[in-house]
Amino acid sequence: MVKTDFSVWSFVKQSIGKELSKITMPIILNEPLSFLQRVAEYMEYSELLDKAVGEKDPIKRMELVSAFAVSSMSSNAGRIGKPFNPLLGETYELHYRNFVFVAEQVSHHPPITAFHVESDNYSLRATLQFKLRFWGKSIDVQPKGLITLQLYHFNESYTWQNVNLTIHNILTGKIWVEHTGTLRITNHSLGLYCQLEFHPSNSFGHGCNRVIGELYAPSTLDKMQAVSASNTSHNTTVNTTINIISKNIFNHHNNSYVLKRIIFGNWSRGLFTVEPNVWNEKEEIIDNQPKKNSNNNDNDDADGQSTNSSECIESWIMDSKYH
């Protein structure tokens, strides 16, 4: 728990509008962790990657990877303490479950952290830089740096960049945090992408932590799967041929994308995925379950039969952390 019973006015006077990494912060605002340890929390839901490497359907793999990308931010819910800045060259190593996590502070000004995660089935790496600005009532955390995931068995590469974090009510009222912005996860091997919007809450705090987005696949996905299936060898020449064919398919100027899934939920709890034809934009997440607004009528499926919201849910793709 971070204490707030200290005089902040002298700190506020020198800090408004400035980049906080260049300002001496009161130690009472820190939590007893190094930033390198905090970054290791990216892997809290590593079981989502374990499921992804065992999933043959590329659409479902994309769902799981997208859920993992969102889950890496879930530890920020209700978290208001600032971790301590690591020393230049400081490292942190974690052996946990079936992976090894290694992080190092590679730059002091500006602060830049690099980390690498290695498992038998995947690797995850990134170089992270965060800009923190204080605006009197709030602090904005703006992340920079691309996160890259590789799934070895499928020879797939995914990338994304985290969205902004805002800490509200720094001076008065109850402190709370929210993520806002657009998160785009791209599968560079098969051409799929998932674009998620982190919506800001309104002035009354309603709609906090809401996420909604869409998963798209290229219309040529079936062709690419056929090419991959017909070449089961791991020979370098064969893999090179597959990569050349995939580039020709996905870079073609006539290539189009097809909406495959609607993804929605709460970044601090979990995500749901539904087929586009049964999507109800009034869906809400209440007590970790999808619940339809009582004023809405049930959706009709393709056969004209009534389908309630719980039947529309295809899968719960991120475990709930808060019950």
Side-chain angles (χ1 to χ4, degrees):
M1 178 66 69
V2 178
K3 297 180 181 179
T4 57
D5 54 344
F6 70 100
S7 177
V8 298
W9 296 113
S10 60
F11 171 70
V12 170
K13 185 177 180 180
Q14 66 167 335
S15 304
I16 293 179
K18 294 184 178 180
E19 215 281 293
L20 291 186
S21 64
K22 300 179 181 179
I23 298 174
T24 301
M25 300 283 289
I27 195 171
I28 202 168
L29 295 178
N30 287 93
E31 62 179 0
L33 287 175
S34 164
F35 181 71
L36 301 182
Q37 293 172 287
R38 184 75 176 263
V39 172
E41 295 177 7
Y42 271 68
M43 299 302 296
E44 181 176 5
Y45 291 97
S46 63
E47 64 269 18
L48 291 170
L49 296 182
D50 295 331
K51 292 179 182 178
V53 298
E55 180 56 63
K56 295 181 179 180
D57 185 348
I59 302 297
K60 292 183 178 180
R61 281 201 305 275
M62 191 68 183
E63 291 177 350
L64 290 163
V65 171
S66 300
F68 172 78
V70 175
S71 74
S72 65
M73 307 177 208
S74 64
S75 65
N76 294 327
R79 199 88 166 267
I80 59 175
K82 177 185 178 296
F84 285 97
N85 292 333
L87 299 174
L88 179 62
E90 181 179 339
T91 61
Y92 177 73
E93 185 171 338
L94 173 67
H95 294 251
Y96 187 60
R97 293 174 179 167
N98 60 347
F99 65 83
V100 178
F101 171 95
V102 179
E104 180 179 353
Q105 191 72 3
V106 296
S107 174
H108 188 59
H109 285 298
I112 299 177
T113 301
F115 75 85
H116 183 89
V117 180
E118 190 67 38
S119 169
D120 291 338
N121 300 312
Y122 61 83
S123 67
L124 183 73
R125 65 182 184 274
T127 301
L128 304 175
Q129 178 183 355
F130 293 88
K131 292 188 65 176
L132 286 76
R133 289 193 178 276
F134 181 57
W135 301 108
K137 293 183 178 181
S138 64
I139 293 177
D140 286 341
V141 182
Q142 303 169 353
K144 293 184 177 181
L146 202 63
I147 300 172
T148 302
L149 169 69
Q150 289 184 301
L151 302 184
Y152 295 145
H153 180 71
F154 300 102
N155 195 25
E156 290 180 343
S157 177
Y158 300 79
T159 60
W160 66 89
Q161 182 171 318
N162 286 337
V163 296
N164 293 350
L165 172 70
T166 302
I167 306 174
H168 295 277
N169 296 340
I170 294 298
L171 300 181
T172 60
K174 183 179 179 180
I175 298 178
W176 58 283
V177 301
E178 69 173 346
H179 282 284
T180 57
T182 301
L183 176 66
R184 182 181 174 114
I185 305 102
T186 304
N187 180 329
H188 296 277
S189 303
L190 294 179
L192 294 89
Y193 73 91
C194 178
Q195 187 155 307
L196 301 174
E197 295 291 336
F198 288 65
H199 292 272
S201 61
N202 59 26
S203 56
F204 299 100
H206 297 155
C208 186
N209 303 346
R210 189 163 60 94
V211 178
I212 183 172
E214 299 172 335
L215 192 160
Y216 288 89
S219 57
T220 52
L221 179 62
D222 292 339
K223 294 181 182 179
M224 185 59 216
Q225 287 182 279
V227 171
S228 299
S230 63
N231 294 277
T232 56
S233 171
H234 294 285
N235 182 276
T236 304
T237 304
V238 173
N239 286 334
T240 302
T241 303
I242 293 175
N243 290 334
I244 293 174
I245 294 174
S246 65
K247 288 181 180 179
N248 290 336
I249 291 175
F250 295 123
N251 291 336
H252 195 277
H253 67 279
N254 289 327
N255 187 45
S256 60
Y257 284 83
V258 179
L259 176 61
K260 292 292 187 178
R261 297 288 189 274
I262 301 293
I263 296 177
F264 67 103
N266 184 307
W267 61 260
S268 67
R269 295 181 181 178
L271 299 178
F272 290 90
T273 175
V274 299
E275 296 282 355
N277 62 322
V278 295
W279 164 240
N280 174 12
E281 64 180 358
K282 300 294 185 179
E283 294 278 7
E284 295 180 359
I285 301 299
I286 299 177
D287 296 330
N288 302 325
Q289 294 295 329
K291 185 173 182 179
K292 184 181 295 185
N293 189 310
S294 59
N295 295 327
N296 296 328
N297 296 324
D298 289 343
N299 289 326
D300 291 334
D301 61 17
D303 297 327
Q305 297 177 347
S306 176
T307 306
N308 61 40
S309 60
S310 62
E311 293 173 338
C312 294
I313 300 306
E314 182 175 279
S315 61
W316 173 245
I317 59 175
M318 181 177 128
D319 292 336
S320 170
K321 182 178 179 181
Y322 302 99
H323 295 281

